Amino acid sequence: MAAITRLLKRTPSFYSFARGFSSTNSHAPSRENRNIQWVFLGCPGVGKGTYASRLCNLLGVPHIATGDLVRHELASNGPLSSQLSEIVNQGKLVSDEIIMNLLSKRLADGEAKGESGFILDGFPRTINQAEILEGVADIDLVVNLKLQEEALLAKCLGRRTCSQCGGNFNVASINIKGENGCPGMSMAPLLPPQHCMSKLITRSDDTEPVVKERLRIYNELSQPVEGFYRSRGKLLEFELPGGIPESWPKLLQALNLDDYEEKQSAAA
């Protein structure tokens, strides 16, 4: 972590920041000739999609979530849709082979359209996936988002979706007092517009026992993956200090992108 911190302090832009990490894929394009290739990790409900999406908009790269790839394939009646439908209906986990096939196809399609970078959301989740990914892409940086478990639980239980427009919201109002050396935290709810209020639904698996078990399993599986990238000098661990207003500027600062956002705003 100290090495990453030193690197962040002396790099003037995200391009040189990305080039500062060692390459493991000798067949990948030169980093000088492409955009960033990052991974976002973190517990369910931590906000990976929110922050990854914001960074993608800022940096002009696609946001790729493997869950979205699976849902897209299911809806497309493509070559894997019937196999995926059977797996999902039986409540089984989608195999690494299928996930990597979908991801490889997405990356190839993006490259054909001129894309040269991406941010992966919530993938890889196992050492095996991380090792397979190394043969597909040359990952520059892995951002591991962290949040106090009390706040994570509240966020997961507060998730709501509008049954009409499909928008995602959160009704949890989180106020955690600082104690035993741990800082306090406040996170405002992300409420829907008035016309969605009566149409909010809760995921059937967003119950306290299920969420706690989901977090336990994630923490158990994530440690080896974190170690995998830490040993390669690519892991940046970021503790979210609160909601988006508090966390976004600090995340940009940790990524050495605060000046970049200002320059983009000035040029707009």
Side-chain angles (χ1 to χ4, degrees):
M1 184 63 197
I4 293 178
T5 302
R6 290 195 298 271
L7 178 61
L8 287 168
K9 287 180 178 178
R10 67 173 183 262
T11 47
S13 70
F14 73 90
Y15 289 105
S16 54
F17 173 71
R19 291 198 296 270
F21 291 88
S22 58
S23 174
T24 54
N25 184 354
S26 59
H27 302 291
S30 167
R31 293 174 191 246
E32 287 80 0
N33 299 323
R34 66 160 171 81
N35 214 318
I36 56 125
Q37 295 184 356
W38 290 357
V39 166
F40 263 58
L41 300 180
C43 287
V46 75
K48 296 184 298 295
T50 298
Y51 292 104
S53 180
R54 279 179 164 242
L55 280 168
C56 285
N57 290 334
L58 178 65
L59 303 179
V61 296
H63 174 207
I64 302 176
T66 50
D68 291 342
L69 297 180
V70 170
R71 285 185 285 272
H72 177 76
E73 185 66 23
L74 280 169
S76 70
N77 293 320
L80 291 174
S81 60
S82 58
Q83 187 179 355
L84 277 172
S85 180
E86 183 178 348
I87 292 170
V88 172
N89 290 337
Q90 292 177 0
K92 296 180 180 179
L93 293 175
V94 179
S95 70
D96 289 352
E97 181 182 4
I98 291 177
I99 290 293
M100 290 309 304
N101 281 340
L102 293 175
L103 179 58
S104 297
K105 181 178 182 300
R106 171 62 184 84
L107 294 177
D109 290 345
E111 186 176 355
K113 292 187 294 185
E115 294 176 357
S116 64
F118 54 79
I119 295 180
L120 292 180
D121 174 358
F123 182 89
R125 296 187 178 183
T126 66
I127 288 287
N128 186 51
Q129 290 178 352
E131 290 175 340
I132 296 173
L133 181 61
E134 284 206 327
V136 176
D138 185 14
I139 301 301
D140 306 312
L141 176 69
V142 177
V143 181
N144 188 26
L145 296 181
K146 296 193 169 186
L147 188 64
Q148 295 181 39
E149 186 165 337
E150 183 179 347
L152 269 173
L153 182 60
K155 281 191 67 180
C156 287
L157 296 179
R159 291 192 294 197
R160 300 291 187 273
T161 302
C162 177
S163 59
Q164 183 172 340
C165 73
N168 294 309
F169 308 100
N170 202 298
V171 299
S173 181
I174 301 171
N175 290 287
I176 301 173
K177 293 182 178 179
E179 56 183 20
N180 300 324
C182 294
M185 175 183 296
S186 295
M187 300 179 74
L190 180 61
L191 298 176
Q194 192 61 39
H195 61 270
C196 292
M197 286 295 290
S198 62
K199 305 176 184 68
L200 296 183
I201 56 175
T202 305
R203 278 173 43 168
S204 60
D205 59 343
D206 274 350
T207 63
E208 187 166 341
V210 171
V211 170
K212 283 185 174 180
E213 179 64 7
R214 199 186 299 151
L215 295 177
R216 185 195 67 79
I217 291 173
Y218 177 83
N219 286 326
E220 186 178 293
L221 293 175
S222 69
Q223 290 179 11
V225 179
E226 292 168 13
F228 178 89
Y229 287 113
R230 187 181 293 113
S231 68
R232 286 157 174 74
K234 295 183 177 183
L235 187 72
L236 173 63
E237 303 198 80
F238 182 79
E239 185 83 30
L240 293 164
I244 294 174
E246 299 84 12
S247 299
W248 176 242
K250 291 186 181 298
L251 178 60
L252 289 179
Q253 186 177 19
L255 294 170
N256 202 37
L257 289 173
D258 42 346
D259 290 342
Y260 183 80
E261 184 181 46
E262 292 174 5
K263 290 175 183 177
Q264 290 289 90
S265 300

